[in-house]
Amino acid sequence: MENKDDKSQPELQASNLALLMLVEIREQRAGFREERLALERDRKFARRLTLTLKSLLVLMPLLFGLYFFMQMLQFKIGPFSPVIGIVHIEGEIAATSLASADKIVPALKRAFESSNVTQIVLVIDSPGGAPVEAERIGNAIHSFRKKHPKPVVAAISNVGASAAYMIALHADKIIAGKYSLVGSIGAIIAPWQLSRALDRLEISQQVYASGHLKAFLNPFTPPSQDAQAKAQDLVDRVGRTFLRELEERRGRALRQDVNYASGEIWSGLEAKEIGLIDAIGTVDDFVDAQKEGTAFNFGPHPGGFGQMGALVSTSLISSLDDIIARQRFQLR
C-alpha cells in the first residue's frame, strides 16, 4: 500500500499543475479579450471624435453664415407668450442709418402683427434727422394701429428731439427720464459756404441755372438775398407744419405761455411741466410696472459684416456730401 501511495503522489502533483496552467491560460485569454475590446472602444471613440470635429469645422461656418444672414433679414423667433414689444429708434434718423424708415417700419410691422404683443414701446434715443423718414415712421404707426389696435408708448431715453420727438407724437403716451432732453421743435438747413475759401485760392465756379433760385444752396457761390430769403422761408414753413402737428396731437396739454417754436430743448422735468410728455420715468420703470413684465426686442438689429461695410461706406459718402453741401432739411 505504501509503494502504491508513493507512486500516485507525483501523478497528483502533475494533475494539479496542469489545472493551474489551464486556469492561467484561460485568464490570459480573458485579459487579451478585454484589452482587445478596450482597444476597439478607443478606436470607435477616436473615429467619433474625428467625425465630430470634422462636422464642426464644416457646420460652424455655415451656422455663422446663417446667423448673419438672419440678422441682415432682421429675423427673430418668437415671442411665444404675452410680451411688451420693444422697437428702438436710436441715433440719427436718416435713410442710411439704423433709425431709417426702412429699418424701423419692418420692426413695427412684426410687433403689431404678433398676437402675443399686448402693447408696443418706442424706445427713443435720437437727436432727430430727416423729417421725411420720421413722417414715414409716423404714418406706419398710424396704419398698423388701424389694422392691429394696440397701445403705443414712446419712452425717451437720453434724447428725444426734433424729428425723433415728431415720431413720439404718434404714441398714445410719452414718457421721459428726469434728465432726458426733449423738444427742439422746428427745422434747420445748414449748408456750407466755401466761396470765401475759394476766393483766397483764386478759384471760382460758374453756375448756369434755369431759374435764379435753382442753385440757391450751392456752397461755392455767395448766397444772394433771394436765396437767403428762400432758405429761411423753407425752414419757417416746415417749422410751422411741425408746430401744427404738435398742437393737434398735444393741444390740451400745452401751455399758452410757452413758445414751442423757439427750437428750445427742455429737460424731462420741464417737458412734463409744459405738456410735451405725459409722465416721468424710464423704459425699465414702465416695463416693470406692467402685468406682463417681459419685454421682447423687435429691433431693428445691426446686420452682418456685409451690411456693416455698406453702412460704413454710405456713412463716409454721406459725411463727404455734408461737407460739400448740406442741402437736406434737418429737424434738430
Side-chain angles (χ1 to χ4, degrees), residues 35-283:
E35 290 180 1
R36 187 170 64 252
L37 291 175
L39 182 61
E40 185 65 25
R41 287 195 296 268
D42 291 341
R43 288 176 178 174
K44 288 182 179 179
F45 176 76
R47 285 198 297 268
R48 290 173 182 173
L49 181 61
T50 302
L51 181 61
T52 301
L53 292 175
K54 289 181 178 179
S55 300
L56 288 175
L57 290 174
V58 174
L59 290 176
M60 288 303 290
L62 293 176
L63 291 175
F64 276 115
L66 180 62
Y67 170 76
F68 285 116
F69 178 73
M70 291 172 66
Q71 274 195 323
M72 291 178 66
L73 294 180
Q74 299 186 9
F75 177 79
K76 193 170 183 178
I77 300 175
F80 302 107
S81 60
V83 296
I84 300 169
I86 303 293
V87 176
H88 290 272
I89 301 174
E90 298 180 347
E92 182 181 6
I93 299 171
T96 57
S97 72
L98 195 61
S100 67
D102 288 341
K103 301 290 192 306
I104 301 294
V105 172
L108 287 169
K109 185 174 187 293
R110 291 194 299 273
F112 272 100
E113 291 181 350
S114 174
S115 59
N116 286 318
V117 173
T118 58
Q119 57 184 319
I120 295 169
V121 178
L122 308 175
V123 179
I124 297 175
D125 194 351
S126 169
V132 176
E133 295 294 309
E135 183 181 6
R136 290 178 60 194
I137 295 170
N139 290 344
I141 294 172
H142 180 71
S143 176
F144 293 146
R145 190 159 42 190
K146 274 188 173 181
K147 299 177 182 177
H148 311 280
K150 294 179 182 181
V152 179
V153 175
I156 297 174
S157 297
N158 296 298
V159 184
S162 216
Y165 182 73
M166 181 187 289
I167 296 173
L169 287 175
H170 293 270
D172 301 304
K173 181 179 181 180
I174 305 175
I175 66 174
K178 293 184 294 184
Y179 304 105
S180 300
L181 299 179
V182 183
S184 189
I185 312 299
I188 183 173
I189 299 178
W192 291 89
Q193 289 298 326
L194 305 177
S195 57
R196 292 184 180 179
L198 293 181
D199 289 341
R200 293 180 181 179
L201 298 174
E202 297 184 355
I203 299 174
S204 63
Q205 182 187 47
Q206 186 65 46
V207 178
Y208 300 96
S210 59
H212 71 289
L213 291 177
K214 181 67 175 177
F216 78 102
L217 290 177
N218 186 349
F220 301 113
T221 57
S224 65
Q225 291 185 352
D226 288 345
Q228 291 179 339
K230 178 60 179 178
Q232 188 61 52
D233 180 63
L234 279 175
V235 294
D236 288 343
R237 288 176 181 273
V238 174
R240 286 195 296 269
T241 302
F242 193 171
L243 183 61
R244 282 197 300 270
E245 186 169 351
L246 171 68
E247 293 170 346
E248 289 172 0
R249 296 185 180 278
R250 299 195 61 83
R252 294 182 179 180
L254 300 180
R255 284 173 29 179
Q256 298 297 322
D257 60 338
V258 177
N259 180 14
Y260 295 95
S262 65
E264 185 178 356
I265 196 163
W266 291 274
S267 70
L269 291 173
E270 292 174 315
K272 172 68 171 62
E273 291 177 1
I274 64 177
L276 290 181
I277 66 173
D278 298 294
I280 295 294
T282 66
V283 62

Side-chain angles (χ1 to χ4, degrees), residues 13 24 28 99 167 220 297 310 327:
Q13 292 177 352
E24 185 176 352
Q28 288 179 351
I167 296 173
F220 301 113
N297 185 7
Q327 299 183 5

